[in-house]
């Protein structure tokens, strides 16, 4: 399956960026819920490949374990609260990668 086909299969209404689709699939296969993803770069929402996760205090560590098992190039793992209208919102987990991840289905 190509990156395009995989992106369409995971999210038919808004196909995923090719450089992050394998990470999202791997998280989904592990039961980890993703909220957004981006392969990063000029014209993208993030400067680096990033996946945002929804979940409790252990979810980021579960995602990191998946990444280590599959040798994904993790750059950082963060738990973030945003402040909107003066109020904290979140938290969400952000997994950022050093580079995009090739599709290997």
């Amino acid at each position: 399956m190509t990156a395009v086909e995989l992106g369409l299969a995971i999210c038919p209404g808004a196909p995923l960026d090719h450089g992050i689709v394998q990470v999202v699939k791997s998280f989904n296969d592990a039961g980890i819920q993703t909220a957004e993803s981006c392969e990063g770069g000029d014209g993208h929402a993030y400067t680096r490949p990033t996946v945002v996760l929804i979940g409790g205090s252990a979810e980021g560590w579960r995602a990191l374990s998946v990444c280590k098992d599959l040798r994904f190039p993790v750059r950082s793992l963060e738990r973030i609260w945003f402040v909107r209208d003066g109020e904290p919102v979140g938290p969400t987990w952000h997994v950022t990668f050093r580079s995009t991840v090739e599709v290997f289905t």
Side-chain angles (χ1 to χ4, degrees):
M1 185 177 289
T2 68
V4 172
E5 293 167 335
L6 188 55
L8 284 168
I10 293 171
C11 192
L16 304 176
D17 290 343
H18 304 158
I20 204 72
V21 69
Q22 187 63 54
V23 174
V24 173
K25 179 187 184 309
S26 298
F27 287 168
N28 289 344
D29 289 349
I32 298 169
Q33 185 178 359
T34 60
E36 65 181 90
S37 62
C38 176
E39 70 182 4
D42 292 340
H44 288 265
Y46 295 91
T47 57
R48 294 184 179 270
T50 301
V51 178
V52 179
L53 312 174
I54 298 171
S57 61
E59 206 65 4
W61 304 113
R62 288 183 57 223
L64 183 60
S65 177
V66 168
C67 291
K68 289 183 67 62
D69 286 348
L70 297 173
R71 295 191 174 107
F72 292 160
V74 175
R75 179 177 187 267
S76 64
L77 172 67
E78 301 173 275
R79 192 145 192 224
I80 298 175
W81 287 258
F82 288 100
V83 177
R84 293 193 180 106
D85 298 323
E87 297 291 329
V89 177
T92 56
W93 286 99
H94 291 226
V95 184
T96 303
F97 299 87
R98 295 182 189 288
S99 62
T100 56
V101 176
E102 297 297 319
V103 173
F104 59 84
T105 60

